[in-house]
Amino acid sequence: MILAECGTHPGILTLMQALQDSRMGIYRVQERDGARVRLQDLATDHTCTAVCASGYSGRLGELWFTRVLPPALTSADHVVFTSPYVLTAPDVSAWTAYLDRVASKKPAGTRAEALEHHFKWGPNPRYWLEFVFEAYSRHESGTIFLHGLPDVAESRPHSPSYRHLPAPDRKISEAFLEFAEPLLEKEGAPPTGQEVERVLQLAATIWNSVVLDTVHGNTEWVTKLRNQIAGQPPLEALIEQMILRKQSSFGHDLRLIGEFKIIEKNGEWRLRAEARAPTAP
């Protein structure tokens, strides 16, 4: 290196090399201990204890898009070098699926190698910058919140595709019924009123869980939903599909589904639904 030839202090060279070797990545917060956090790298499954330079310690289970530097000089801890971008939606399963999609496009190397390159360079120089710009949701001291996936344009609040989705002033009954369509599809005889009501109760639970987690910046309600259906693989897969559907295609609609009623008219089922603000008691 030129700086080494110029007599730069070895400590500075060590820090610069650490920066050069590092990359952005997606990390899950596993533990918190004062100013320290235990992070798991979703790309490699490696874990480390780190100090967040911005002062943000986060919440258990949060996903961070950030750069983590290894211990340097006399420090025993890793360092979260950038203010973490908290990924509020979608959740860890959707991000794991995203990483799987990236790795599958580069079969020549290992999964870890493909993801290392992806996070370091991206498909193009502006890839990660544009993702952060379009996914911005809000910010608070020491952190910034992002919403959406890099390869799902309609999931990002500031993407042109996102703005083309139906506006939130659309009737909540119309948006909700469209969201629930995959659950209402049934071969054979048309579903009865009771069957439709049961399906819509499930759809409302999924919709409201995602809305509440998005608004509050956590995964509390979706986690509760997953715990309720744990051990039922077919239902688990269906729920995951619907969670991703809400986050990616209806993520802009942050109204809660209140009371709803199924009405039969001229041989067809009609839906009346009440919209509630996510901050309502």
Side-chain angles (χ1 to χ4, degrees), residues 25 42 73 110 113 118 129 142 145 153 172 180 221 234 240 270:
L42 293 192
L73 302 180
T110 66
E113 290 172 343
H118 182 68
L129 293 174
F145 295 86
I172 189 66
W221 289 93
E240 292 301 328
R270 304 280 180 92

Coordinates of all heavy atoms in Angstrom, one line a residue, residues 25 42 73 110 113 118 129 142 145 153 172 180 221 234 240 270:
G25 N -24.1 -6.2 5.6 CA -24.7 -7.5 5.8 C -26.0 -7.4 6.5 O -26.4 -6.3 7.0
L42 N -26.9 -13.4 8.7 CA -27.8 -14.3 8.0 C -27.1 -14.9 6.8 O -27.5 -16.0 6.3 CB -29.0 -13.6 7.5 CG -30.0 -13.1 8.6 CD1 -31.3 -12.6 7.9 CD2 -30.3 -14.1 9.6
L73 N -6.9 -3.6 17.0 CA -6.0 -3.1 18.1 C -6.3 -3.8 19.4 O -6.2 -5.0 19.4 CB -6.1 -1.5 18.2 CG -5.9 -0.7 16.9 CD1 -6.0 0.7 17.2 CD2 -4.5 -1.0 16.4
T110 N -19.6 -21.2 -3.4 CA -20.5 -21.6 -2.3 C -21.5 -20.5 -2.0 O -21.4 -19.3 -2.5 CB -19.6 -21.8 -1.0 OG1 -19.0 -20.5 -0.6 CG2 -18.5 -22.8 -1.2
E113 N -19.8 -17.5 -0.4 CA -19.1 -16.7 -1.3 C -19.9 -15.8 -2.2 O -19.6 -14.6 -2.4 CB -18.2 -17.6 -2.2 CG -17.1 -18.3 -1.4 CD -16.4 -19.3 -2.3 OE1 -16.9 -19.7 -3.3 OE2 -15.2 -19.7 -1.9
H118 N -22.2 -10.4 -3.1 CA -23.4 -9.6 -3.3 C -23.5 -8.4 -2.4 O -23.8 -7.3 -2.8 CB -24.6 -10.5 -3.1 CG -25.9 -9.8 -3.3 ND1 -26.4 -9.4 -4.6 CD2 -26.9 -9.5 -2.4 CE1 -27.6 -8.9 -4.4 NE2 -27.9 -8.9 -3.2
L129 N -27.5 1.5 -2.6 CA -27.8 2.9 -2.4 C -29.3 3.1 -2.7 O -30.1 3.8 -2.0 CB -26.9 3.8 -3.2 CG -25.5 3.9 -2.8 CD1 -24.7 4.8 -3.7 CD2 -25.3 4.4 -1.3
G142 N -29.9 7.4 16.2 CA -29.0 6.3 16.1 C -29.4 5.2 15.1 O -28.6 4.3 14.9
F145 N -35.0 3.3 9.7 CA -35.9 2.1 9.5 C -36.2 2.0 8.0 O -36.5 2.9 7.3 CB -37.2 2.2 10.3 CG -37.0 2.2 11.7 CD1 -36.7 3.4 12.4 CD2 -37.1 1.0 12.5 CE1 -36.5 3.4 13.8 CE2 -36.9 1.0 13.8 CZ -36.6 2.2 14.5
A153 N -39.7 -4.5 -6.1 CA -39.8 -3.0 -6.2 C -41.1 -2.5 -5.5 O -41.1 -1.5 -4.9 CB -39.8 -2.6 -7.7
I172 N -61.7 -0.3 2.3 CA -60.9 -1.4 3.0 C -61.5 -2.7 2.6 O -60.8 -3.7 2.6 CB -61.0 -1.1 4.5 CG1 -60.0 -2.1 5.2 CG2 -62.4 -1.3 5.0 CD1 -58.6 -1.9 4.9
A180 N -57.4 -11.5 0.5 CA -57.8 -12.8 0.9 C -58.1 -13.8 -0.2 O -58.3 -15.0 0.1 CB -59.0 -12.7 1.8
W221 N -46.4 -9.3 16.7 CA -47.7 -9.9 16.4 C -47.5 -11.1 15.4 O -48.2 -12.1 15.5 CB -48.6 -8.9 15.9 CG -49.1 -7.9 16.9 CD1 -48.5 -6.8 17.3 CD2 -50.1 -8.1 17.8 NE1 -49.2 -6.2 18.3 CE2 -50.2 -7.0 18.7 CE3 -51.1 -9.1 18.0 CZ2 -51.1 -6.9 19.7 CZ3 -52.0 -9.0 19.0 CH2 -52.1 -7.9 19.9
P234 N -48.5 -27.6 6.6 CA -49.3 -27.0 5.5 C -49.8 -25.6 5.9 O -49.8 -24.7 5.0 CB -50.4 -28.0 5.3 CG -49.9 -29.3 5.9 CD -49.1 -28.9 7.1
E240 N -47.2 -18.2 5.9 CA -46.0 -17.4 5.4 C -46.2 -16.8 4.0 O -45.8 -15.7 3.8 CB -44.8 -18.4 5.3 CG -44.3 -18.9 6.6 CD -43.8 -17.8 7.6 OE1 -43.3 -16.7 7.1 OE2 -44.0 -17.9 8.8
R270 N -71.1 -10.7 -0.3 CA -70.6 -9.3 -0.3 C -70.0 -9.1 1.1 O -70.4 -9.7 2.1 CB -71.7 -8.3 -0.5 CG -72.5 -8.5 -1.8 CD -71.8 -7.9 -3.0 NE -72.5 -8.1 -4.2 CZ -73.3 -7.1 -4.7 NH1 -73.5 -6.0 -4.0 NH2 -74.0 -7.3 -5.8

